[in-house]
Every structure is written in structure tokens, then in C-alpha cells.
Amino acid sequence: MKDQMLQFKVYSLRTQASPYNTSTKAEKDNAHETIYYLLVNMKDLPNSIPMDVNPREPKMTTNVAKSLKSAVTEPETDFYINNRGIVISAKSLTFDTVKSQVTIDLGVQDDENDKYLYGILDGGHTYTAIIEERKNIPDNIEKYVRIEVIINVQNITRLSDARNTSVQVSDIALFNLDNKFEPVKNAIRNQPYENEIAYKDNENKPINVFELLRLVYAFDIEKYPDDNSAPIQSYSGKAQVFKRYRAVYDTPLYKSLTIQIPKLVELYDLIEQELPQKYKEYKEASGIAKSKFGKVSGIELVKSKDGKIISTSTLFLHKPTQYKISTGYIYPVFGAFRSLLTFNSATGNVSWIFNPIEIWNDVGVSLTQNTFESSSNPQAAGKDKQLWLSNYRIVETQSLRKLLKKQSKKTT
């Protein structure tokens, strides 16, 4: 499989390096984003730039879309000033100064992880309007569009939220208006967080329903049935998680998975609460007396203004903890437990081979060690397919050990 490459002329290019880049090896290993600002003639813009990373497909029948189409073809030349432009997430960008031409690498679009990481992140309506209408631009007029290309995006979800928040929330709110979140609401009835979930736009509640949907996505054993693939999008792809839920929420698997939300919440919160202790245990087993969990990138030891350590709480069940932990560390551990889940197509029910809490108690230290020795960068850890798969195998191996032990007891 080959990377998809875009190649086109630009009128101008400006580069903005991250202010956090340093020359140390550790920082190079955890490279930061670089932003390229391009000014491009509409006629030079390539066709078929992928938009799967975008929260929603462009709807070109709205009044806003019609206005965009009109702006493309009108004789005024201030489109590049008035329009916000197009944002592209990319793997890399090179610039040929002789030809004034950029080459943009969008990764392997047949690979799900690249598909939902690289492409048009924002400005899909602008791009579609240009592609559909640029043939109607008067011959004596040159029209330009601004393009922002960001490479090495560390957290695609945060970037997508920042650029598309109103659009994405509206999609979820419309889904709620159709009463399609009723299975979720039924599943968490009488749970301590039942009244803390926001389903509507601008609802003043601490937890967006998306946080529950991503838990379910991490255990989608139809889409991710084994250790050949991993539900990385539960960490890094908010739009993709909701698209998947919207498409299959009414299927037997997802109906049964949704019922499991309280168990998934219990597991997630336990991992969040106990990760510092598991980290301490693995460091001590390695001969390191002081583990310094709070010094790890993406881990914050919560302190008051006067520097005193204070207690915070876990996301859902409000268990006491002193640390705020990046989800980039939690999700590769949490997602490993889908190896304990099975689906009976005849009954339409999922069931656990073993209680995931029991297995966490068995292999939590090993999972923690594997995660933090794989990466000290939470964004890199959250997107590391090999980390997800190796954690999955740790849980799967422990499950097999317990099954064999059970079997041996029956035969003796």
C-alpha cells in the first residue's frame, strides 16, 4: 500500500515551526506540529482530497453552501481574505522552490488509522464549492484560497474539536432529538453519573455523551475482533466514533455493548484511579525506589496555588486521585480488555470470558509497564498501534492461562 501524495503549485508558502521544538533527542522523538500556510490558485487545487477525518460530509444544499458556490464564481478577488480557508492534516510536506510546488503526504488512505488522521479536517464545504464551481470562474479572473497544512498532529481529536466544535455537537444534538440515545440513557439509569451526561448543545453538564460512546467503540469486537487491528479512534477520532455509533447503534452487537456501559465505566475509572499505584509497583520491581509518576509527560500532580498536593477525582465515578492522566495512556490499557468480550450472534448478547476487573488486578502492572516503556508521550502512546496490540495480547494471554487452569482442575 502506497501513501497518497498531493502535488500542486502554490502562489506563496510560509512555515510556522512549533515553539516547543528543541534540539534534544528526547524532544525530537516526541516531535511537535509544524504549520504551513499556503495561498493557492483555485484552479491548481487537486481533485479528490480525502475528507474522512472531517466531522461531517459537506451538505451543499444549504444556504451557506450556496453562498460559498456563489463566492467562488463571482468576479470579486477577495475570497482568500473573507473565507477561513481549508485545513489539512498531513504526514509531511515538501516544497520545490524552483517549481513553486508542494508535495503533501496523506499516508495510506486504505489504512484506517491514516484515513482518519490525514486529509481535510476543516473547510470541507469550501473545498467542495471550489471543486464544483471553479470551471465557472471568469477567464480573466484568478481566484485564490488559503490552505493551512498541519503535519505531525499530536492529538487529532483536540484539533478537530477546536476547528469543528459547533458542527460536531450539533450532529450529536440532532441524534438526541430523534431519541436515539435512549439505549444509553436506559443503560446508565440509577448510575451515579446519570445526571452528569450532556446530550444537547451547550448543556451545562460535566460529561459529554461522547465519553460514553468512545468506551463502547473501544470494545467494538465486530470492527476489531482480534490482535490484527486496534480501536485507536476511541482515543484519537471523535468524529469517527460518533459516525460508527450512528451507523450501527441499533444492531444486536451495539445494543448489547451499550448495556455494558456501566461495566466499561467501572473498568475505565479503576484504571484511571489505580494507574499511579501500578506505575509505582512496576518501578519498584525494576529497582527504582522513587517512581516520580507526576514527572511523566501528560501526568499532572494536582496542587493548590500555594503548592500543596490536593485531591481530584476520576472522570465518571469521582474516585479520589491526586493525578490528572492523559487519556493517551489510559485508552491503550482500557482497550486491551476487549479480548475478554465475546458475542453470541444467535442470542444477540455479549458476555465476558472473565470479569475485566479481575484481570486488571492480575496484569495491571504488566500493562502499565508495557505502556510507559513504549512511550513517554501520551499522544504518541494513544496512537501507537503496536502498543494497543501488545496490551491486548497481555490480557488475552492471562485469559488463556486462567482458562487452562480451569480446564486442568476439571480433569484432575
Side-chain angles (χ1 to χ4, degrees), residues 132-391:
E132 290 182 358
E133 298 295 328
R134 62 183 174 181
K135 61 181 178 296
N136 298 318
I137 297 174
D139 292 336
N140 61 336
I141 298 291
E142 299 290 339
K143 300 289 287 284
Y144 292 87
V145 62
R146 286 182 290 164
I147 298 180
E148 184 180 343
V149 181
I150 308 176
I151 68 165
N152 197 39
V153 174
Q154 295 294 297
N155 192 325
I156 198 72
T157 297
R158 283 177 59 82
L159 179 58
S160 178
D161 283 351
R163 302 300 178 104
N164 292 287
T165 298
S166 60
V167 173
Q168 181 65 13
V169 171
S170 293
D171 276 353
I172 291 177
L174 289 171
F175 196 75
N176 180 61
L177 284 174
D178 288 336
N179 297 317
K180 292 179 179 177
F181 280 130
E182 287 307 305
V184 174
K185 294 175 183 178
N186 291 334
I188 65 172
R189 189 157 285 126
N190 299 322
Q191 295 295 320
Y193 47 87
E194 175 187 5
N195 296 317
E196 297 182 356
I197 308 299
Y199 300 92
K200 304 174 184 177
D201 289 344
N202 304 315
E203 195 170 6
N204 188 25
K205 293 185 177 181
I207 306 171
N208 192 282
V209 66
F210 164 72
E211 297 298 338
L212 299 178
L213 301 187
R214 70 198 294 209
L215 299 182
V216 173
Y217 186 94
F219 282 75
D220 187 338
I221 54 176
E222 177 183 74
K223 192 173 178 67
Y224 305 100
D226 50 37
D227 62 354
N228 290 315
S229 57
I232 293 171
Q233 302 305 318
S234 59
Y235 163 70
S236 64
K238 182 174 182 177
Q240 286 66 49
V241 168
F242 178 63
K243 284 179 181 179
R244 173 66 174 169
Y245 191 84
R246 180 171 56 188
V248 297
Y249 79 99
D250 207 25
T251 61
L253 172 64
Y254 260 69
K255 283 181 178 179
S256 192
L257 271 178
T258 300
I259 293 171
Q260 294 293 327
I261 286 177
K263 174 59 74 175
L264 300 180
V265 165
E266 181 188 2
L267 175 62
Y268 183 93
D269 255 51
L270 186 63
I271 294 170
E272 183 181 3
Q273 184 186 35
E274 294 190 353
L275 208 57
Q277 178 60 31
K278 301 295 185 189
Y279 183 89
K280 182 173 182 286
E281 289 176 27
Y282 119 67
K283 286 292 187 180
E284 286 177 347
S286 302
I288 301 172
K290 294 184 178 180
S291 56
K292 298 181 180 179
F293 186 66
K295 298 291 186 181
V296 178
S297 175
I299 308 294
E300 179 188 350
L301 180 62
V302 183
K303 296 181 180 180
S304 62
K305 289 182 179 179
D306 59 2
K308 293 181 179 179
I309 298 173
I310 58 176
S311 181
T312 182
S313 62
T314 57
L315 176 62
F316 295 103
L317 299 175
H318 306 299
K319 296 175 183 176
T321 177
Q322 294 179 336
Y323 297 93
K324 290 183 180 179
I325 304 172
S326 169
T327 57
Y329 294 128
I330 299 175
Y331 265 90
V333 174
F334 174 74
F337 290 86
R338 80 183 188 286
S339 65
L340 302 176
L341 207 61
T342 63
F343 176 63
N344 187 322
S345 57
T347 64
N349 294 320
V350 297
S351 59
W352 299 94
I353 299 171
F354 291 103
N355 186 331
I357 305 302
E358 176 187 342
I359 303 298
W360 164 251
N361 291 333
D362 291 341
V363 297
V365 174
S366 296
L367 289 168
T368 304
Q369 179 175 357
N370 189 54
T371 299
F372 285 95
E373 288 189 354
S374 294
S375 180
S376 60
N377 180 321
Q379 288 83 20
K383 296 182 291 185
D384 187 342
K385 181 179 178 180
Q386 294 309 312
L387 169 59
W388 282 74
L389 298 184
S390 58
N391 278 350

